């Protein structure tokens, strides 16, 4: 017969978004069961770069990012670990005068969000960070942004939810999801789960769930390539990125540099590999930005699978076709920082039908023929 059970809220996906939602729901006293196809935090939420930044986000995401910022500062008290979270600052580098102008325009647009961005000229940035390469023309520092260890944080949210009473079922790929006219019915090997509310947090695989309810979106998968060096002497005391895209890097407490900036090769729907060309591209960019890395040894490479929508914004909010269904996916490689806030927003929606954090820009309806995407 297998396990047949019911709950108030069913969640598909145990990444940082799904696990944070389970945690937030249990804090409200709402019964929840989370089904994860692998183990919690094993996919993109656990293998991402680990940047915890607000700087550089689209304006529509900044309210979410600000809400998340307050959660990150209370991480130890909330989930029992600090997740190696440090407010190292996030430094976005300019390689040209045009990049500097872009950073200045972004600062002007975000003055009301409390980022406290500091624009640095070429002279300023090289005086403060003498290890930068000559090609850096300036930058923008967000002092209170930072970094954390995704391998620790994402599973810790699931563990914290479990301690509060959430049922967390790992190795439970959902092979059928439907609505029987009363409740959602989810089936996984050896398990049938019924719930009046369903939250779709299945990451790069969430489109399959959305399609079951007539809401397929134009999401594609991509595989960011990353590498880590041997432990090195302390040097990089900020989390760095580059205006317009390119390499990003941070140095952890043990001294290792975590570096990304190229696409890996997808082997199939579940696996990917960082090939020689991707490694070479990452290394070339990294050495241009931080020349002292030229002699560093690379000890490991890895990748993951992330979902990207055409406008690089997530889907977050209620279904446009099915009452009781909520979506949260397509975070385009930037979901780690806002994930805890997304979990709280989902709990708001389940309990109140609305959230004080604005999310209209992320409606799934923007991809329907009746609601064309605004330009």
């Amino acid at each position: 017969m297998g396990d047949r059970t019911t709950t108030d809220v069913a969640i598909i996906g145990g990444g940082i978004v799904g696990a944070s939602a389970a945690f937030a729901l249990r804090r409200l006293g709402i019964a929840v069961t989370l089904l994860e196809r692998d183990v919690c935090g094993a996919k993109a939420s656990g293998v991402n770069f680990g940047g915890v930044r607000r700087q550089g986000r689209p304006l529509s995401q900044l309210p979410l990012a600000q809400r998340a910022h307050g959660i990150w500062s209370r991480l130890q008290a909330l989930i029992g670990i600090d997740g190696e979270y440090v407010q190292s600052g996030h430094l976005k580098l300019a390689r040209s005068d045009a990049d500097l102008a872009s950073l200045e325009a972004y600062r002007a647009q975000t003055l009301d969000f409390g980022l406290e961005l500091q624009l640095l000229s070429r002279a300023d940035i090289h005086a403060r960070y003498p290890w930068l390469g000559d090609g850096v023309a300036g930058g923008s520092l967000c002092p209170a942004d930072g970094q954390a260890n995704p391998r620790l944080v994402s599973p810790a949210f699931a563990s914290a939810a479990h301690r509060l009473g959430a049922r967390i079922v790992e190795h439970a790929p959902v092979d059928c999801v439907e609505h029987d006219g009363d409740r959602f019915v989810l089936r996984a090997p050896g398990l049938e789960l019924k719930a009046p509310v369903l939250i779709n947090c299945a990451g790069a695989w969430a489109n399959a769930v959305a399609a079951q309810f007539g809401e397929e979106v134009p999401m594609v998968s991509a595989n960011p390539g990353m590498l880590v060096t041997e432990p090195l002497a302390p040097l990089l005391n900020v989390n760095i990125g580059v205006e317009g895209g390119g390499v990003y890097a941070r140095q952890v407490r043990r001294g290792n540099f975590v570096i990304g900036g190229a696409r890996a090769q997808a082997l199939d729907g579940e696996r990917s590999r960082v090939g020689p060309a991707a490694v070479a591209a990452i290394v070339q960019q990294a050495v241009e930005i931080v020349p002292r890395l030229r002699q560093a040894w690379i000890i490991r490479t890895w990748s993951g699978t992330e979902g990207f929508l055409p406008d690089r914004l997530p889907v977050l909010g209620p279904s446009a076709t099915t009452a009781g269904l909520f979506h949260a996916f397509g975070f385009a490689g930037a979901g780690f920082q806002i994930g805890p806030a997304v979990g709280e927003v989902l709990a708001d929606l389940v309990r109140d039908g609305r959230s004080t954090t604005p999310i209209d820009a992320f409606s799934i309806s923007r991809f329907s023929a009746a609601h064309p995407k605004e330009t």
Side-chain angles (χ1 to χ4, degrees):
M1 290 289 293
D3 182 1
R4 293 184 175 179
T5 187
T6 62
T7 189
D8 292 339
V9 180
I11 298 175
I12 301 177
I16 193 168
V17 170
S20 296
F23 177 70
L25 286 163
R26 284 307 303 144
R27 294 186 77 201
L28 297 177
I30 298 172
V32 57
T33 296
L34 183 152
L35 304 182
E36 163 55 43
R37 63 189 295 168
D38 198 317
V39 296
C40 292
K43 300 299 184 182
S45 292
V47 299
N48 63 79
F49 170 64
V52 184
R53 64 167 179 84
R54 296 164 294 163
Q55 177 170 221
R57 291 192 177 278
L59 300 185
S60 60
Q61 287 190 25
L62 283 176
L64 269 174
Q66 287 294 82
R67 183 168 180 170
H69 186 64
I71 299 172
W72 280 99
S73 66
R74 298 180 286 119
L75 206 62
Q76 179 76 52
L78 286 172
I79 65 173
I81 67 168
D82 67 6
E84 298 180 6
Y85 171 61
V86 292
Q87 289 184 321
S88 59
H90 176 260
L91 180 64
K92 178 154 281 196
L93 304 174
R95 292 170 290 190
S96 66
D97 290 341
D99 285 348
L100 273 174
S102 179
L103 292 175
E104 185 172 4
Y106 183 78
R107 180 180 179 275
Q109 294 167 349
T110 59
L111 286 175
D112 293 336
F113 290 97
L115 303 187
E116 299 181 349
L117 300 180
Q118 302 173 11
L119 291 179
L120 303 174
S121 67
R122 177 185 289 274
D124 292 336
I125 203 166
H126 285 280
R128 188 179 298 190
Y129 308 107
W131 39 264
L132 285 169
D134 292 338
V136 175
S140 172
L141 175 67
C142 187
D145 280 356
Q147 57 184 282
N149 187 337
R151 290 184 176 273
L152 299 178
V153 174
S154 300
F157 268 101
S159 296
H162 175 70
R163 290 193 298 271
L164 291 180
R167 185 182 182 193
I168 309 294
V169 186
E170 297 181 321
H171 303 293
V174 176
D175 49 33
C176 178
V177 55
E178 56 190 7
H179 199 280
D180 65 5
D182 181 36
R183 292 176 293 182
F184 294 94
V185 182
L186 291 75
R187 296 184 179 90
L191 173 66
E192 180 182 270
L193 175 65
K194 293 185 177 183
V197 175
L198 171 63
I199 302 179
N200 174 19
C201 302
W205 300 271
N207 212 12
V209 178
Q212 295 299 307
F213 301 95
E215 295 187 294
E216 186 173 6
V217 297
M219 186 167 71
V220 298
S221 296
N223 311 95
M226 283 165 283
L227 57 84
V228 63
T229 72
E230 62 182 320
L232 301 170
L235 177 68
L236 189 62
N237 56 355
V238 289
N239 171 14
I240 61 172
V242 176
E243 174 64 11
V247 72
Y248 41 91
R250 63 189 183 92
Q251 188 174 22
V252 303
R253 294 171 185 169
R254 293 173 295 277
N256 310 79
F257 275 68
V258 181
I259 312 171
R263 293 294 186 208
Q265 175 186 1
L267 301 178
D268 54 36
E270 298 285 339
R271 301 175 302 152
S272 56
R273 177 175 60 195
V274 184
V279 171
I282 295 170
V283 168
Q284 179 181 355
Q285 295 179 82
V287 169
E288 289 175 356
I289 297 297
V290 187
R292 293 190 201 177
L293 288 173
R294 189 176 302 277
Q295 303 302 321
W297 286 90
I298 298 168
I299 61 174
R300 183 167 62 90
T301 65
W302 73 93
S303 183
T305 304
E306 297 175 333
F308 290 76
L309 291 159
D311 55 10
R312 294 299 182 98
L313 296 177
V315 165
L316 172 59
S319 164
T321 65
T322 309
L325 173 62
F326 300 92
H327 299 293
F329 64 85
F331 290 93
F336 186 56
Q337 189 269 342
I338 64 175
V342 173
E344 288 193 351
V345 166
L346 289 166
D348 293 342
L349 294 173
V350 170
R351 184 187 63 179
D352 305 325
R354 59 181 298 276
S355 176
T356 57
T357 301
I359 58 170
D360 288 349
F362 316 129
S363 171
I364 198 167
S365 298
R366 71 188 192 270
F367 295 109
S368 70
H371 299 82
K373 176 177 175 288
E374 294 182 2
T375 57

